[in-house]
Amino acid sequence: MTNPDRLLVDISALVESGQSNQMSLTVVVGGAVITGRLAPEAVWRERVSEVLNDSDRLGPFSAVFGAEPAAGGPEKDTENGPESGPEGGDRGGRGEPPAYLHFHLARILQGNIGIPETGGMYRVAIEDVSAWTVGDVSYSDH
């Protein structure tokens, strides 16, 4: 979508506010169907960092996700706070609306199968969502 869907932005803002982490959502992005539960960006980053840290090969990358999002890279921006940075954080700057959805326990649906079976961590630009619905789409784990 050229202009992000205002409803999705509002849903993401509510999740980011910490008032709810129980919102399940299914989105279509670039032809892929992703279904799962939304998480605040800080929780999503922490979980990705933990998973990477447990990996022998990918451990060094955990620091990128463990850091507060900030302009220009993973270092903390003490002047503008954790919501600054056009690419790193969920918002383009302080007071701007969320630009991304952060999924955890999510699956990409392929036919009647959800992959990965254990659920994954996905970050989706709201402006790239072409269709969406509230809730998880049913699939078979066979």
Side-chain angles (χ1 to χ4, degrees):
M1 292 183 169
T2 313
N3 296 316
D5 185 313
R6 188 70 213 165
L7 286 172
L8 277 181
V9 171
D10 290 346
I11 289 168
S12 183
L14 188 59
V15 170
E16 285 297 322
S17 74
Q19 294 182 36
S20 175
N21 66 350
Q22 299 300 309
M23 178 55 118
S24 293
L25 202 65
T26 299
V27 298
V28 177
V29 179
V33 178
I34 300 172
T35 190
R37 194 164 22 159
L38 295 177
E41 181 181 13
V43 172
W44 181 86
R45 284 173 157 273
E46 181 180 326
R47 181 66 185 125
V48 171
S49 178
E50 290 170 358
V51 169
L52 292 174
N53 195 46
D54 290 342
S55 169
D56 291 335
R57 293 186 341 238
L58 302 175
F61 291 97
S62 70
V64 173
F65 291 91
E68 292 290 332
E75 295 176 14
K76 196 178 268 189
D77 182 341
T78 56
E79 183 177 320
N80 294 316
E83 293 180 348
S84 66
E87 297 292 330
D90 194 41
R91 293 163 165 52
R94 194 170 282 265
E96 290 186 24
Y100 299 93
L101 299 169
H102 294 90
F103 286 90
H104 67 115
L105 303 175
R107 293 184 172 98
I108 296 175
L109 301 181
Q110 184 172 356
N112 63 347
I113 298 173
I115 51 177
E117 288 185 21
T118 57
M121 308 290 287
Y122 300 101
R123 175 179 166 113
V124 175
I126 293 173
E127 68 182 15
D128 293 340
V129 174
S130 59
W132 61 278
T133 188
V134 172
D136 287 328
V137 172
S138 296
Y139 51 85
S140 171
D141 280 335
H142 297 91

